[in-house]
Amino acid sequence: MNSLSKDQKDELATSMAVLALYDGGACLRRENTPRASAEISSEQIKVLLEATGNTKVEAFYPIIFANFLSNPEKVAELISNPGGSGGGGGDGAAAGDGAAEVIEEEEPEEEEAGPGDAVDMFGGDDAGGDY
């Protein structure tokens, strides 16, 4: 934790608060019903941050996170697809218990052109025709 910058610590604390609020409705969940979760709002995030001793988190973090993650479906999507469509997602195997399978796309091999494949612009090809 000491190697993280203040911004990184603020983001981490806010992320954990959102996850705790999301998971807060787990006791309300019943079989075959949609997952219920606690309200994810900037006020709820601030209350949870203060309760956990994270009182120096910049005020804009709870607002940004609440605006983006107020819908529990977005939180669930981020949990199930970390990294999303942006660049550089984490290693799938490191995120869980190793059950996640990493699928690598096979790229077609491109053949490199050799010196014999070049087109002679000056007619050095003994094909017998004048241009």
Side-chain angles (χ1 to χ4, degrees):
M1 290 294 289
N2 291 334
S3 63
L4 297 177
S5 69
K6 177 169 178 355
D7 289 335
Q8 290 172 324
K9 289 178 183 178
D10 289 355
E11 289 175 11
L12 180 62
T14 308
S15 298
M16 293 299 156
V18 169
L19 288 174
L21 290 170
Y22 172 78
D23 197 44
C27 61
L28 302 175
R29 192 171 138 211
R30 295 181 184 166
E31 289 184 36
N32 301 324
T33 60
R35 180 182 177 84
S37 64
E39 176 186 8
I40 299 174
S41 67
S42 61
E43 282 302 314
Q44 290 295 326
I45 294 171
K46 287 178 195 176
V47 167
L48 193 52
L49 288 172
E50 289 175 9
T52 57
N54 293 296
T55 57
K56 295 184 180 182
V57 172
E58 296 293 334
F60 63 89
Y61 281 110
I63 295 168
I64 291 172
F65 277 69
N67 285 338
F68 183 70
L69 299 171
S70 60
N71 182 353
E73 291 176 9
K74 285 191 177 185
V75 178
E77 180 182 340
L78 286 175
I79 292 170
S80 63
N81 299 318
S85 61
D91 183 12
D97 59 358
E101 183 176 324
V102 178
I103 300 173
E104 296 181 18
E105 292 183 24
E106 292 184 28
E107 295 183 21
E109 293 183 26
E110 294 182 21
E111 295 181 20
E112 293 186 23
D117 295 335
V119 176
D120 190 359
M121 295 177 14
F122 301 106
D125 182 37
D126 289 333
D130 288 339
Y131 294 100

